[in-house]
Amino acid sequence: MRFGLVGTGYWARVTHAVALAREPVVDFTGVWGRDPGRAAELAEELGVQSYLEYESMLEDVEAVDFSVPPNVQAELAVRAAKAGKHLLLEKPIATSPEVARHLEAAVEEEGVATVVFFTTSFVEAQREWLADLARTNGWRGGWVQWITSALAPGSPYSASAWRQEKGALWDLGPHALFILSAALGSVVDVAADAGAGDLVHLVLHHQGGATSTVSMTLEGPPEAGHFEITLWGDSGLSTMPLGSTSPEEALCVALQELVECATTGERAHPCDVHFGRHVVELLARAEDSIAGRPAAHESA
């Protein structure tokens, strides 16, 4: 299937471009970016075409792989869907529920296939862990603890304007919501509170009665870096293995599954635009929950 890449930033280069060039089911056709010079440079490195006009790339491809900020991605993805192109989307698919619903409606209207790249969803060790959980009843809750220094000087993400603005809630939150939803059932309600910097704490209520918590930040000290997802229940504790799959290998799986959905006509996927829209709604609800709480000095 002929794919075009939208994006020329760090993640586009080290993950998306690598996977598109490597995956056998993909005919990597070309690159378009908001900076024509960077698009031309990346295309030359990859031996593919560089496009000056987004519409010109859409005319040459059957599917589009996006690696741009969510507020940029949503508008471009709507245009691609209306042109009948299948979509490999990054998380979050947008930063407002209204925009996410608009994208979802365009996808529904045109009947194109979609997959959203929630990285852990495409890692074999983590899929096996989720399958094991499904074979064991009695999981009552769980927690995610995620401390990174992704916004520290020297990090490849430190210059990411949308991450600086939206913080861990919108960057790490989608991954946490996917894993906990898959493990404990769909999230039906969320409450949130914030700490220093972008530190955020979520309390999730799942369909079926389980509850879970998430604590995460992009501004933690490097010495405190930590990632853990653990469930608890009648069988004790179960912690998700980290696995050894690289992000580009996980993206190859996502590309394979998008092509399969597109070619078989089976549009449903656990990580499609509908789930992506639900995640955006939950994140917005969490943001509203934080905004509605009194400041620390007011509640003292």
Side-chain angles (χ1 to χ4, degrees), residues 192-205:
D193 201 355
D198 77 329
L199 178 64
V200 64
H201 307 285
L202 307 180
V203 178
L204 308 178
H205 292 261

Side-chain angles (χ1 to χ4, degrees), residues 5-8 31-40 50-52 57 68:
L5 172 62
V6 169
T8 61
V31 177
W32 178 85
R34 291 171 291 164
D35 183 329
R38 295 184 66 179
S50 172
Y51 290 90
L52 290 176
M57 188 184 76
V68 287

Side-chain angles (χ1 to χ4, degrees), residues 73-90:
Q73 170 179 254
E75 185 268 332
L76 293 171
V78 167
R79 288 160 63 184
K82 289 183 175 180
K85 311 305 174 182
H86 307 295
L87 311 177
L88 194 295
L89 300 162
E90 266 291 350

